[in-house]
Amino acid sequence: MTTPGSVYEAIGGMPTFRKIVSGFYAQVPDDDILGPMYPEDDMAGAEERLAWFLSQYWGGPPLFNENRGAPRMRLRHAKFPIDMAAHDRWLELMKNSLDQIDEETLPQAYRQMIWQHMNQLAGMLINKAP
């Protein structure tokens, strides 16, 4: 069930969130900071979970909760050393991904909302001092 009038609906639902997430994950394996944090044998699983999380957050079906339980993002990421460099790189790769999506699919107002959320999320996950 989606939330009527949600960002999820406005930008085309799961296909758009999959584009955002797949663009991000296409960059991760070769990244010197983020690559080592992701298990090679579960890259597809990590990609799926992020698509579920983002789409659910923006009014899509509760796939993350149905498949993984409550997001608890800080707890789920506690085992990874996330410092300011990782924060910055995550945002860099995410911005690269967002920039690959045309404005017709992802209009500027929604792009800015999603980008602001990405910044908040990345900041919340920092768990290691410089």
Side-chain angles (χ1 to χ4, degrees):
M1 178 176 180
T2 62
T3 304
S6 65
V7 170
Y8 178 86
E9 283 188 346
I11 66 170
M14 186 59 88
T16 301
F17 285 100
R18 288 200 189 284
K19 281 182 192 176
I20 294 168
V21 171
S22 68
F24 171 79
Y25 277 98
Q27 303 168 82
V28 169
D30 296 326
D31 188 81
D32 62 324
I33 295 174
L34 299 183
M37 292 187 204
Y38 289 87
E40 290 179 33
D41 62 342
D42 192 31
M43 195 66 75
E47 187 171 331
E48 186 76 5
R49 291 186 293 274
L50 183 55
W52 291 340
F53 172 76
L54 292 174
S55 64
Q56 175 177 304
Y57 180 86
W58 291 105
L63 297 174
F64 192 94
N65 283 19
E66 289 172 0
N67 290 285
R68 304 278 294 172
R72 303 176 313 177
M73 300 308 282
R74 285 186 59 81
L75 178 64
R76 291 181 189 277
H77 290 80
K79 64 184 174 184
F80 303 105
I82 302 172
D83 58 10
M84 200 59 171
H87 163 277
D88 292 350
R89 185 63 55 83
W90 191 87
L91 287 172
E92 177 186 340
L93 300 188
M94 192 57 74
K95 183 172 183 333
N96 291 345
S97 179
L98 287 170
D99 287 349
Q100 293 174 15
I101 300 173
D102 63 86
E103 194 160 332
E104 184 176 326
T105 302
L106 188 58
Q108 194 61 33
Y110 295 113
R111 184 182 307 269
Q112 288 176 344
M113 291 168 61
I114 291 170
W115 181 242
Q116 182 178 7
H117 177 247
M118 298 294 184
N119 275 275
Q120 291 170 342
L121 185 60
M124 178 184 77
L125 296 179
I126 294 172
N127 60 17
K128 185 178 175 198

